[in-house]
Amino acid sequence: MAPQTDDETKGDGQGESTARRFPRRTVLRVAGASAALSLGSGAVTASGDDDSDDDHGYGSDGPAAPKHPEEIDPIFGYASAAENPCSGEASDDCFESFANPVRPAHEVEMQIDIPELLFALVEGGGLSEGTTGNVTAAVEDGSVDEGELDRPDAGVSVRTPEGGETVTVREIAHLLADTTGFRFEPAGLRVSPGDVVLYSAETPDHAVTAYHERHGRQNRVPDGVEAVSSPLVPVGGYWLYRFEEEGVYDFNCPPHEPFGMVHRVVVTDEEDDAAELSVEDTGRPPEEENALGSILGGLDPNVPSAHDALESDALHPERIASRGTVSWDDVVEEHRTD
């Protein structure tokens, strides 16, 4: 086989959507021990000796109608593999599918925002080292500086589920600039004490875990709050959690924290009351480097690390309190233009 060049780079795409198709083993290997621990916790579900439906919405014939709890555990919340009525492009009244007292007041989606073509390119061998560095430098601020691109019209062959296509270096640069990686959406959320939040798993391998000393991490939750954590939530499923104590809660997705996937909730009754962020150096702080480039063959979309996101002005508690929600796009934009 002739050596591959930037003009003829091959991939091996699989016939699945972007949301389900990405190099899972590579992601978990980069994520390291925290991913393995989270995968273990995700395997612990209710089970029995018969084939009847259980509280997680599964029976002998697969997913059943949603069965919602009457209460939510203060540490583990409530996770369900049943069909999430608020998943995807659901209508605004989807919360009505949940009965009180556990009806959600807010939704947070857990997503992977990486174009399928980038993964196909990486799986097929990627670009040359020189072109990879050139493209990365050209999109550092989130837009494409075509004046910095060498050979922007050079064609790159990528194998796709349809058989293959050719994209230019310029098109790859635009795909990279549009990449925002692994995200909670919104990344920042204000709720009132007692509110229930619905976390929707739109893509695989997501969980919601507080930064807490009992997880071996910095304490970044209000005093007295326990080590809140969900299991891995199946795609199309959901996790419910009720926020009782006022203050600031910092969360991460354990498999994806190395790629900057963090989330902040400000619990307060007042829109102009930012509440206080309490940080205790009891364990590992948020990751300071973003490893996203390592799963994209060296292409780096310049997305903030977990540390940088939580220290950003975009996720400052006062801003979240005043705005109600802050998008991950705002966090990325601030990072890229700093």
Side-chain angles (χ1 to χ4, degrees):
M1 180 182 295
Q4 295 175 343
T5 68
D6 291 343
D7 296 305
E8 191 176 6
T9 303
K10 296 182 179 180
D12 62 346
Q14 306 295 321
E16 297 180 30
S17 69
T18 306
R20 296 176 181 271
R21 189 192 154 282
F22 64 97
R24 187 171 185 269
R25 291 182 180 177
T26 302
V27 171
L28 296 183
R29 184 170 63 250
V30 173
S34 62
L37 290 173
S38 181
L39 284 170
S41 67
V44 180
T45 58
S47 62
D49 295 330
D50 58 30
D51 289 328
S52 62
D53 289 351
D54 63 27
D55 286 342
H56 293 266
Y58 272 91
S60 58
D61 297 324
K67 293 183 177 180
H68 306 309
E70 294 185 359
E71 59 183 27
I72 297 174
D73 189 271
I75 298 177
F76 299 113
Y78 178 84
S80 177
E83 182 178 355
N84 179 0
C86 295
S87 183
E89 300 299 324
S91 62
D92 292 340
D93 62 356
C94 66
F95 294 157
E96 300 299 318
S97 300
F98 296 82
N100 283 323
V102 299
R103 182 170 293 161
H106 313 271
E107 181 188 17
V108 175
E109 293 188 347
M110 298 180 286
Q111 306 169 337
I112 301 171
D113 184 17
I114 301 176
E116 181 178 350
L117 269 174
L118 285 185
F119 277 132
L121 179 66
V122 172
E123 291 166 8
L127 303 171
S128 69
E129 183 177 345
T131 301
T132 296
N134 176 242
V135 170
T136 293
V139 303
E140 185 175 10
D141 66 357
S143 60
V144 179
D145 185 347
E146 296 194 8
E148 290 192 17
L149 286 176
D150 296 333
R151 302 174 63 214
D153 296 317
V156 180
S157 296
V158 182
R159 190 175 301 160
T160 67
E162 292 72 31
E165 62 181 278
T166 299
V167 295
T168 65
V169 169
R170 177 186 292 106
E171 289 170 326
I172 293 169
H174 281 281
L175 287 174
L176 187 64
D178 290 339
T179 296
T180 57
F182 299 79
R183 62 195 287 165
F184 289 96
E185 187 57 47
L189 175 68
R190 185 194 74 236
V191 307
S192 294
D195 279 357
V196 174
V197 178
L198 171 72
Y199 288 84
S200 297
E202 304 294 325
T203 52
D205 292 333
H206 297 304
V208 187
T209 299
Y211 283 95
H212 195 282
E213 61 185 320
R214 295 187 68 185
H215 295 313
R217 307 305 301 268
Q218 272 186 347
N219 252 30
R220 301 178 70 94
V221 294
D223 291 342
V225 172
E226 292 291 339
V228 178
S229 185
S230 77
L232 286 184
V233 184
V235 174
Y238 61 90
W239 182 65
L240 299 173
Y241 188 73
R242 187 188 305 279
F243 289 88
E244 299 281 12
E245 298 295 326
E246 292 198 31
V248 179
Y249 297 66
D250 284 350
F251 295 98
N252 67 83
C253 172
H256 304 140
E257 193 216 11
F259 313 114
M261 189 168 175
V262 293
H263 172 57
R264 174 169 285 167
V265 177
V266 176
V267 182
T268 177
D269 267 330
E270 304 294 333
E271 292 185 9
D272 58 353
D273 181 2
E276 288 191 14
L277 170 62
S278 174
V279 178
E280 299 175 23
D281 290 326
T282 51
R284 284 191 300 119
E287 297 289 343
E288 294 192 5
E289 301 293 332
N290 192 308
L292 191 52
S294 64
I295 62 169
L296 293 178
L299 291 169
D300 188 350
N302 193 20
V303 172
S305 66
H307 171 272
D308 290 346
L310 292 173
E311 295 298 318
S312 68
D313 289 339
L315 288 185
H316 192 284
E318 287 184 1
R319 183 174 184 183
I320 295 172
S322 64
R323 297 183 60 172
T325 62
V326 174
S327 171
W328 178 244
D329 289 335
D330 293 340
V331 183
V332 173
E333 181 180 4
E334 177 190 317
H335 175 78
R336 288 172 168 172
T337 57
D338 239 2

